[in-house]
Amino acid sequence: MYVAVKGGEKAIDNAHRWLGEMRRGDRRVPQLETAQISEQMTLAVSRVMAEGSLYDAELAALAIKQARGDLIEAIFLIRAYRTTLPRFGYTSPIETARMRCRRRVSATFKDVPGGQILGPTFDYTHRLLDFKLLAESEDEQAEEAIPQDSADVPHVLGLLDRDGLIQKEHRTDEEPVDITREPLEMPASRAARLQVLARGDEGFILGLGYSTQRGYARNHAFVGELRIGLVDVEMEIPELGFAISLGVIEVTECETVNQFIGSKTEPPQFTRGYGLVLGQQERKSIAVALVDRALRWKELGEDFLGAAAQDEEFVLYHADNIQATGFVEHIKLPHYVDFQSELELVRMIRKDAEAAREKADD
Amino acid sequence: MAENSLAGGFAAPAVNSAVAFRGIMMAMAEPGRIMPVSGGIPPRPMDSAAGVLALTLCDPTTPVGLMPSMDQPAIREWLTFHTGAPIIAPGEAEFVFGRFDEMADFTVFRQGTSEYPDRSATLVAAVASLENSGAVLRGPGIKESRALNLPDVTPFQANAALYPLGVDVVMVAGGDLVAIPRSTRVEVE
Amino acid sequence: MTDPSDTSLGDTPPEGTHDQDYNFAYLDEQTKRMIRRALLKGLAIPGYQVPFASREMPMPYGWGTGGVQVTSACLVPDDCIKVIDQGADDTTNAVSIRKFFERTAGVRTTEKTGEASLIQTRHRIPETPLEEGQILVYQVPIPEPLRFLEPRETETRKMHALEEYGLMHVKLYEDISSHGHISTAYAYPVSVEERYVMDPSPIPKFDNPKMHQCPAVQLFGAGREQRIYALPPYTDVVSLDFEDHPFTRLRNDGVCGLCGADDTYLDEVIMDDEGTRMFVCSDTDYCATRIEEAAE
Ligand SMILES: [Zn+2]
């Protein structure tokens, strides 16, 4: 006799135990410490912090360890943890012009005030496997090159701004929406778009950014400036009447300069795209800036060319990898009730069709 | 800040608000059904049911409006201390507290928009008493019909005519509340 | 059944038996307030999708996060909950969600439809008729019934605002002209109080008539899509159809191989390599209860 599949609870427990064992791997190999991840897998940690939208390297490292290195799973762990945290308020906007830059490059000018800082980059490394890393030898120590003072490092695009060659960004005192506290509404504000992009899936944003370079909403872009470094986070405390420092975070900021031939409403000038992400996320910040620029077609009076990167609903509703992975993977859950319904429908339609054919044959 | 504004909140917020919400939700789901709620004591003249509703639903993200009868320092302080809700003009507010006779023209409150009819006010209106007799209510949440002693049917009829726009009304008397959402059609007895 | 709306708990709630590391029913109070406000607006405008700032839950989107958030915002310590997936209490995801609420809210659980004050479901409405005072929470993947006709939210929102449902009728009618039948077997759209067209969640259309004038409160949560909607008890819920093609329920006309029921929704089970089939009730509680009753 048929017995429905029972014992779901036991099956789940067993699966979880097995998962724990797989995570640990061969016990003759020392267990990975989270400090090793946060110190030596910093770019993975950056990605988990950025897309998890929680700046905490230790928790990100823990999540990466627990997720067996599956970064989307790690991001998910961080997101789920993040939502349970009480919210005390909003910080003041960070001042990226006062960033202690670890890296700062401009593709539009040979040199810029404050200087170009190459910083810790993979650029110009030859991508050859370094077999020395197989052995457990210590690397040579490089000199830390972060300027310790927080003197202003003006943005490169400010130079163009002074000459009126780049589109003016309108300053507003409007409170930006918080996409983690309010449902996304279409059409979305630029603040909402930039937030979605900042925590959007790196691969998705990268692909969209790439598509704008290949003719889908083509908008030739230069990296006006890319900077990575530390900024202070401050919060106004109304009771105190001044701002207190909450700490220091690392961010990556990219501003692109884009050609713009002018429209009915705007004179010929350069326009910009903007990307700001938590941690060291160079590739992501550039891609965000490209997509941001593509999404601005309406405000700049450009045409909608039907490109994916211009399509706000398409971009914003599909950028979140936690939403995407959940829904894509959920089709492995049982759907037999719906399937049964379709089965009955197909049988019925076939029966009708057969009956009609027989009748025609008669 | 007066000392009594610190009192009268939920003793166990998670459980008190869960239980109160169930009462409020069943009231909204079954228009005209009188539900008791408890756990909070606001300053007079606010009814305890109105206070419990505020503790359950209002917070810094929900602008609250006070009609003249409720616009008193003790009530302002109590609401601010316990909910953190900003107090603004009733016409712009998400929740409005007052006496029914002060609010009888529902159209001065937020009605929602055709794309977002949910962006409308919830009026918390104090009445002298609540009993299931008088005007006849019909609509979603009501099996055939239910009677309720509405102080006036006209504003409710006008409100229902705007459906899906309009306001939702919660009437309170002491520790009892009853809801008349915009979906409820009202007839005189 | 105890009346879950009886608020006799009053001022002194009992010591909670839930996991003290988390707030009662997991969500923080501010999140619950936000969901509660959305639920009230949903009940006031039956069938209208209220946007809400869905939170990340400790389970993936698409696995019931909307339903879980709605349940979490509605639960009281006195509740007795039942969780089903595909009509069954013992499917893995149902087990997982039930455990979540046992742990975070300390509520009692049951498999009996009649004993539950709140039922969270994916893809089915129980066969046992629901009663007044009960709450049925649906997990919803795509809340927008027009989404497959028009992917843009800005457009579908306008269509609901203008009550412009012609596109849906055209689609259904095209089905009839090409297949002789409407080719939607589940998530079959309904009209609520002759105003909003609503997605009933992916329940088989067999279950649609159970929504009409249902004595229980029906709440719908779509977490990933950030929408909540609701049906108060005794609300008119009519499946879309045409005069010349009235709505029909759809079920396999077999009988349950376990309890003999001939009026329930059946799962088809393949028994062997020869393709031998057996049909059993999809509602495991209903089936087990019938078997018990027959044995008495
Ligand atoms: Zn059976």
Side-chain angles (χ1 to χ4, degrees):
Chain A
M1 196 189 90
Y2 165 76
V3 181
V5 189
K6 292 270 178 195
E9 202 152 337
K10 199 158 177 229
I12 292 174
D13 287 344
N14 285 340
H16 291 175
R17 239 193 317 276
W18 196 359
L19 176 69
E21 242 165 74
M22 293 295 285
R23 178 186 61 70
R24 179 59 184 88
D26 187 340
R27 281 173 194 274
R28 286 169 299 185
V29 177
Q31 171 145 215
L32 194 55
E33 289 169 27
T34 53
Q36 291 175 318
I37 298 171
S38 58
E39 286 304 310
Q40 298 172 39
M41 299 286 237
T42 45
L43 300 183
V45 166
S46 273
R47 181 172 174 196
V48 171
M49 294 197 303
E51 292 172 36
S53 356
L54 182 72
Y55 195 89
D56 188 318
E58 192 185 357
L59 290 180
L62 168 63
I64 292 168
K65 176 176 174 175
Q66 186 180 331
R68 301 169 61 194
D70 178 339
L71 295 189
I72 292 183
E73 181 68 23
I75 290 159
F76 184 11
L77 288 168
I78 292 298
R79 290 270 193 96
Y81 174 78
R82 179 192 193 278
T83 41
T84 66
L85 299 175
R87 179 156 306 222
F88 300 115
Y90 290 90
T91 67
S92 312
I94 55 171
E95 288 287 351
T96 53
R98 297 181 65 83
M99 183 187 290
R100 271 96 81 201
C101 295
R102 205 165 254 164
R103 172 160 164 75
R104 178 187 187 230
V105 291
S106 169
T108 49
F109 295 97
K110 186 169 185 200
D111 202 2
V112 287
Q116 307 239 22
I117 306 166
L118 207 48
T121 174
F122 289 123
D123 296 354
Y124 319 114
T125 62
H126 294 141
R127 268 58 171 213
L128 301 168
L129 279 174
D130 181 358
F131 291 101
K132 286 203 299 291
L133 293 176
L134 276 176
E136 291 169 23
S137 64
E138 281 297 312
D139 308 328
E140 281 169 51
Q141 206 154 348
E143 266 170 60
E144 182 76 24
I146 307 178
Q148 291 307 305
D149 60 324
S150 56
D152 285 10
V153 186
H155 284 107
V156 172
L157 265 59
L159 303 173
L160 290 172
D161 203 5
R162 217 175 325 160
D163 299 338
L165 290 175
I166 192 153
Q167 160 227 8
K168 275 254 181 285
E169 297 294 349
H170 299 287
R171 199 167 261 286
T172 160
D173 288 329
E174 205 181 309
E175 190 85 7
V177 296
D178 177 345
I179 59 152
T180 69
R181 309 303 274 191
E182 281 165 57
L184 197 54
E185 189 186 318
M186 297 294 165
S189 64
R190 187 161 178 232
R193 294 197 307 236
L194 287 170
Q195 288 172 56
V196 173
L197 294 174
R199 67 181 212 154
D201 181 74
E202 178 176 319
F204 181 78
I205 310 285
L206 177 65
L208 281 174
Y210 179 43
S211 73
T212 69
Q213 296 178 297
R214 287 197 65 262
Y216 290 85
R218 181 174 164 75
N219 229 302
H220 192 272
F222 304 102
V223 170
E225 184 173 0
L226 173 77
R227 49 169 73 188
I228 305 172
L230 304 176
V231 291
D232 294 316
V233 179
E234 293 180 338
M235 190 170 170
E236 296 279 351
I237 308 291
E239 287 83 358
L240 297 177
F242 54 86
I244 58 162
S245 172
L246 300 178
V248 174
I249 61 170
E250 182 183 46
V251 296
T252 304
E253 182 186 51
C254 177
E255 280 193 288
T256 55
V257 186
N258 301 63
Q259 279 176 349
F260 180 63
I261 42 172
S263 69
K264 282 159 233 141
T265 51
E266 300 282 336
Q269 58 187 327
F270 292 106
T271 57
R272 50 183 137 195
Y274 185 76
L276 180 80
V277 286
L278 289 181
Q280 184 174 344
Q281 291 275 291
E282 199 161 323
R283 174 192 305 128
K284 169 85 172 277
S285 71
I286 298 170
V288 168
L290 291 176
V291 177
D292 169 53
R293 176 60 188 79
L295 289 173
R296 301 182 75 182
W297 63 272
K298 209 182 277 177
E299 113 196 42
L300 296 170
E302 295 172 336
D303 290 330
F304 178 68
L305 304 168
Q310 284 182 306
D311 187 331
E312 177 174 86
E313 290 204 24
F314 181 83
V315 173
L316 301 190
Y317 279 133
H318 302 101
D320 191 285
N321 52 24
I322 303 309
Q323 292 175 354
T325 199
F327 203 52
V328 165
E329 291 195 55
H330 106 285
I331 61 173
K332 69 194 173 192
L333 286 178
H335 281 76
Y336 55 80
V337 162
D338 291 347
F339 182 69
Q340 187 66 42
S341 205
E342 294 233 305
L343 208 56
E344 294 306 332
L345 183 71
V346 170
R347 281 179 182 143
M348 187 167 72
I349 292 173
R350 283 175 67 113
K351 204 158 72 185
D352 286 0
E354 266 163 41
R357 211 174 308 129
E358 272 165 29
K359 207 169 161 195
D361 289 346
D362 284 347
Chain B
M1 188 178 284
E3 197 184 329
N4 65 354
S5 67
L6 304 180
F10 284 147
V15 172
N16 286 150
S17 59
V19 172
F21 175 69
R22 180 65 72 84
I24 297 165
M25 183 175 87
M26 294 317 275
M28 192 61 84
E30 298 178 41
R33 179 172 170 195
I34 300 165
M35 298 294 301
V37 292
S38 61
I41 305 155
R44 284 166 191 284
M46 189 179 263
D47 289 272
S48 72
V52 168
L53 184 143
L55 294 173
T56 306
L57 298 173
C58 300
D59 62 29
T61 66
T62 56
V64 160
L66 297 176
M67 301 308 287
S69 66
M70 299 293 161
D71 194 2
Q72 301 184 11
I75 291 176
R76 280 179 168 257
E77 281 172 17
W78 189 83
L79 281 175
T80 305
F81 179 77
H82 290 285
T83 71
I87 295 170
I88 66 165
E92 301 297 311
E94 207 167 309
F95 290 90
V96 185
F97 295 84
R99 274 200 324 257
F100 184 85
D101 58 281
E102 297 172 295
M103 311 166 94
D105 180 5
F106 295 169
T107 60
V108 302
F109 305 103
R110 282 174 55 176
Q111 306 287 308
T113 66
S114 59
E115 294 191 2
Y116 294 95
D118 55 305
R119 295 181 181 171
S120 55
T122 300
L123 310 184
V124 184
V127 292
S129 68
L130 290 170
E131 56 193 69
N132 287 119
S133 66
V136 179
L137 316 182
R138 291 179 209 279
I142 301 167
K143 187 182 186 180
E144 289 157 19
S145 71
R146 192 174 274 134
L148 189 71
N149 60 329
L150 293 180
D152 184 2
V153 296
T154 327
F156 291 101
Q157 289 173 333
N159 191 45
L162 298 170
Y163 189 86
L165 302 190
V167 299
D168 305 305
V169 182
V170 177
M171 294 195 295
V172 292
D176 289 341
L177 57 78
V178 69
I180 315 288
R182 66 194 84 176
S183 60
T184 301
R185 300 179 287 276
V186 176
E187 292 157 33
V188 278
E189 191 177 354
Chain C
M1 212 192 79
T2 56
D3 182 356
S5 55
D6 175 7
T7 55
S8 58
L9 264 160
D11 295 333
T12 49
E15 195 65 33
T17 48
H18 67 276
D19 187 332
Q20 299 296 322
D21 287 346
Y22 296 98
N23 194 29
F24 173 72
Y26 184 76
L27 291 174
D28 60 283
E29 289 305 299
Q30 191 170 344
T31 299
K32 280 193 251 178
R33 275 193 297 271
M34 176 269 296
I35 296 170
R36 286 167 179 165
R37 291 191 296 262
L39 284 169
L40 294 180
K41 288 297 171 193
L43 285 164
I45 317 165
Y48 164 75
Q49 302 164 52
V50 186
F52 85 111
S54 171
R55 304 292 197 241
E56 278 97 353
M57 297 299 286
M59 63 235 356
Y61 285 119
W63 301 54
T65 57
V68 167
Q69 289 179 81
V70 167
T71 297
S72 171
C74 285
L75 274 186
V76 295
D78 269 359
D79 269 323
C80 180
I81 68 164
K82 169 182 166 82
V83 183
I84 49 174
D85 188 336
Q86 313 295 298
D89 296 88
D90 53 7
T91 36
T92 41
N93 201 40
V95 170
S96 163
I97 291 171
R98 187 164 58 238
K99 271 180 106 170
F100 177 75
F101 285 116
E102 274 178 335
R103 181 172 164 202
T104 60
V107 290
R108 287 175 300 130
T109 63
T110 183
E111 295 194 0
K112 297 259 169 269
T113 299
E115 282 174 10
S117 54
L118 186 151
I119 301 168
Q120 180 168 328
T121 183
R122 176 170 171 260
H123 293 191
R124 276 307 314 270
I125 299 175
E127 305 288 3
T128 308
L130 299 175
E131 294 167 25
E132 280 186 20
Q134 285 185 304
I135 297 170
L136 183 61
V137 176
Y138 295 78
Q139 300 172 199
V140 182
I142 303 280
E144 178 49 73
L146 306 168
R147 186 60 70 231
F148 301 104
L149 307 171
E150 169 53 64
R152 267 164 228 287
E153 169 67 15
T154 38
E155 291 301 317
T156 52
R157 195 155 276 279
K158 255 182 241 150
M159 291 158 79
H160 284 294
L162 301 171
E163 218 175 332
E164 208 182 86
Y165 297 124
L167 199 58
M168 177 66 93
H169 285 99
V170 168
K171 190 260 168 199
L172 297 178
Y173 211 85
E174 276 173 359
D175 277 4
I176 295 172
S177 49
S178 48
H179 312 295
H181 295 275
I182 289 171
S183 67
T184 302
Y186 60 90
Y188 188 100
V190 294
S191 171
V192 178
E193 291 283 327
E194 296 181 18
R195 178 58 183 82
Y196 285 101
V197 167
M198 185 190 96
D199 181 289
S201 90
I203 55 172
K205 66 187 245 187
F206 174 83
D207 281 341
N208 272 25
K210 298 175 185 169
M211 306 181 105
H212 178 61
Q213 289 289 321
C214 175
V217 177
Q218 302 176 76
L219 306 175
F220 300 78
R224 191 176 37 75
E225 299 279 339
Q226 305 191 308
R227 296 290 184 272
I228 278 172
Y229 50 104
L231 297 172
Y234 305 111
T235 296
D236 286 338
V237 182
V238 179
S239 302
L240 299 184
D241 65 357
F242 300 93
E243 245 167 55
D244 51 344
H245 279 269
F247 173 85
T248 49
R249 294 176 98 175
L250 185 66
R251 74 179 283 278
N252 184 287
D253 53 12
V255 293
C256 171
L258 299 179
C259 76
D262 60 1
D263 56 353
T264 58
Y265 191 75
L266 299 172
D267 292 336
E268 180 170 340
V269 185
I270 300 173
M271 304 294 287
D272 56 31
D273 292 351
E274 312 294 303
T276 314
R277 310 288 163 102
M278 175 180 179
F279 290 92
V280 294
C281 294
S282 125
D283 184 333
T284 51
D285 164 56
Y286 186 79
C287 191
T289 307
R290 276 177 54 86
I291 294 169
E292 268 169 43
E293 282 170 1
E296 273 165 23

